[in-house]
Amino acid sequence: MAMQDHIREVLAGIGEDPDREGLLKTPERVEKALKFLTRGYTQDPRSLLNSALFTVSYDEMVIIKDIDVFSLCEHHLLPFYGKAHVAYLPNGKVIGLSKIPRLVDMFARRLQVQERLTVQIAEAIQEHVQPRGVGVVIEAMHFCMM
Ligand SMILES: [Zn+2]
């Protein structure tokens, strides 16, 4: 069964009439929205990070604060959103600053739990940049707990 047919079933399941005018295009829109919200599955941290590594001689900590995070909790398929803060201590290599928010987004745009999202961002930086240390903090509001 196509995703849109399932979404029609869900609409009927909550007591709605999927054939009323306002809902006719909803299955199509929901499918599009879900594909957007989970587009991280089609993205690969290796190709993002390896193309943006620079050799440096300094070893000061790199900190990127207040990165927007929008994700979906895997238990309820409800949004959670907030801010990520990423810091790492370079070991001869840094990544382009704009890549960090994209890395966060790549993992956030999947079905997630906040703890795993945090670990995946840190592990991707550890693996591809090989810093002396990396720290990631995420502060988020979860719709399933509000
Ligand atoms: Zn949840």
Side-chain angles (χ1 to χ4, degrees):
M1 199 192 259
M3 195 188 294
Q4 291 181 25
D5 297 325
H6 287 289
I7 295 160
R8 276 180 60 86
E9 296 290 320
V10 170
L11 291 171
I14 62 172
E16 265 290 358
D17 170 13
D19 291 315
R20 73 176 173 84
E21 194 185 350
L23 293 178
L24 277 179
K25 297 200 98 181
T26 296
E28 186 184 329
R29 292 191 198 98
V30 171
E31 180 177 16
K32 257 193 200 164
L34 282 175
K35 286 185 171 163
F36 176 86
L37 294 170
T38 58
R39 68 183 189 274
Y41 288 121
T42 63
Q43 300 169 332
D44 172 32
R46 178 167 295 122
S47 53
L48 174 73
L49 295 183
N50 286 355
S51 62
L53 284 175
F54 304 101
T55 302
V56 293
S57 55
Y58 58 85
D59 56 1
E60 304 296 320
M61 186 182 292
V62 177
I63 303 176
I64 307 101
K65 294 202 305 191
D66 297 323
I67 302 165
D68 287 323
V69 173
F70 300 97
S71 193
L72 279 184
C73 96
E74 68 182 18
H75 301 136
H76 305 90
L77 302 189
L78 287 171
F80 66 96
Y81 69 97
K83 299 285 185 188
H85 316 291
V86 174
Y88 66 95
L89 207 52
N91 186 21
K93 277 190 287 188
V94 295
I95 26 182
L97 278 186
S98 67
K99 303 295 179 183
I100 300 281
R102 285 181 55 195
L103 181 72
V104 170
D105 202 60
M106 174 183 308
F107 287 117
R109 295 305 194 180
R110 301 176 186 195
L111 302 185
Q112 281 289 8
V113 294
Q114 183 174 332
E115 295 82 355
R116 189 177 64 231
L117 174 59
T118 306
V119 168
Q120 285 177 336
I121 295 163
E123 286 183 347
I125 293 171
Q126 186 63 46
E127 181 183 344
H128 297 287
V129 190
Q130 297 181 326
R132 283 189 284 155
V134 58
V136 178
V137 174
I138 296 178
E139 303 169 284
M141 307 275 277
H142 293 249
F143 273 40
C144 57
M145 296 198 291
M146 291 159 71

